[in-house]
Amino acid sequence: MTTASPSPQEARPTALEPLVGRLRTIRRTGLSIGIATGLYGISFGALATASGLDVWQAMVLSAVMFTGGSQFAFIGVVGGGGSALGAALASLLLGIRNTLYGLILAPSLPRGGFRGLARAHLTIDESAALAASGTTTSQKRAGFWAAGVSVYLFWNLFSLVGALAGQHIADPGAWGLDAAAAGAFIALLWPRLRSGEAIAVSVAAAFVALVTTPALPSGLPVLAAALVAVVAGLLPSRRRPVHHAVELEENREEQR
């Protein structure tokens, strides 16, 4: 009995099946992330209109700023009686992390033209995280666009729902919407607390925020707490060379 070896044309689809399946899984994951994250938009929309913004202002802020943490910080400062400058500074500082994400993802994503502009706008925690989970350029791109586009669509959709509902809610706190922002932050932060260094930075930032809240105007405690992470990022870390070596070894294994 003889066994004929498959031709390259016959073997190629079989070899591509795991790759195609992986891309489909990544896109489904991006869609689920978009729906789950978008639900927080209800809280943002309701808090935005309760803080004095009208529906159109809330939606423009959501569509243009489009970084959940910065949006919650902005309306938190404004709703707490803080100045527009303090709200803008708090939002800007929290949004700096997206610039760092962009620098990390730059080699794998388009940089110019309309796609480059869209990439800059969709660079957020979720899109960067799903892109980073990919092992190839195609997987990174699929993860980035799937999460980025899904979050953008569902976030703005649910923000509109929340903004419309917020006009008819006298006290958002009675519905627990005032705590939803803090809950969203904790939900984003908790999975990242995998090392002693991350836990130490989080505890230090929380301590600074707790101490400065009674003494500083609304909005400034957020800036003070964020500076803890900035200072920690500037300090040398013993773990980074190890992670870098692991990444190099993984790349060598893929090339083999």
Side-chain angles (χ1 to χ4, degrees), residues 127-220:
S127 61
L130 192 55
S133 68
T135 57
T136 64
T137 299
S138 60
Q139 291 176 6
K140 291 179 180 180
R141 290 184 176 182
F144 177 87
W145 293 115
V149 173
S150 296
V151 172
Y152 187 83
L153 293 177
F154 286 106
W155 176 268
N156 285 283
L157 174 62
F158 286 116
S159 292
L160 177 59
V161 173
L164 293 173
Q167 294 182 315
H168 305 286
I169 298 176
D171 181 17
W175 295 78
L177 295 177
D178 57 335
F185 276 121
I186 294 174
L188 290 173
L189 176 64
W190 189 260
R192 292 167 172 79
L193 300 181
R194 299 179 180 178
S195 66
E197 183 179 0
I199 295 175
V201 172
S202 300
V203 172
F207 177 77
V208 170
L210 182 64
V211 170
T212 56
T213 295
L216 296 178
S218 180
L220 294 184

Side-chain angles (χ1 to χ4, degrees), residues 16-210:
L16 288 176
E17 283 179 0
L19 298 178
V20 174
R22 173 61 176 160
L23 292 177
R24 289 176 180 172
T25 300
I26 291 174
R27 294 188 179 102
R28 286 197 298 267
T29 302
L31 178 60
S32 63
I33 290 175
I35 295 173
T37 304
L39 289 172
Y40 289 117
I42 297 177
S43 174
F44 167 75
L47 291 175
T49 51
S51 299
L53 301 181
D54 60 31
V55 174
W56 285 109
Q57 288 173 329
M59 292 310 301
V60 169
L61 181 64
S62 179
V64 175
M65 183 177 287
F66 186 56
T67 169
S70 297
Q71 293 176 225
F72 278 118
F74 186 91
I75 61 172
V77 174
V78 172
S83 65
L85 179 60
L89 289 176
S91 302
L92 179 62
L93 188 57
L94 286 175
I96 288 177
R97 71 189 188 281
N98 294 337
T99 303
L100 301 178
Y101 295 155
L103 293 175
I104 296 173
L105 297 174
S108 304
L109 299 173
R111 305 182 189 182
F114 176 78
R115 290 174 64 85
L117 182 62
R119 177 190 67 82
H121 196 57
L122 297 179
T123 300
I124 54 176
D125 295 309
E126 292 80 8
S127 61
L130 192 55
S133 68
T135 57
T136 64
T137 299
S138 60
Q139 291 176 6
K140 291 179 180 180
R141 290 184 176 182
F144 177 87
W145 293 115
V149 173
S150 296
V151 172
Y152 187 83
L153 293 177
F154 286 106
W155 176 268
N156 285 283
L157 174 62
F158 286 116
S159 292
L160 177 59
V161 173
L164 293 173
Q167 294 182 315
H168 305 286
I169 298 176
D171 181 17
W175 295 78
L177 295 177
D178 57 335
F185 276 121
I186 294 174
L188 290 173
L189 176 64
W190 189 260
R192 292 167 172 79
L193 300 181
R194 299 179 180 178
S195 66
E197 183 179 0
I199 295 175
V201 172
S202 300
V203 172
F207 177 77
V208 170
L210 182 64

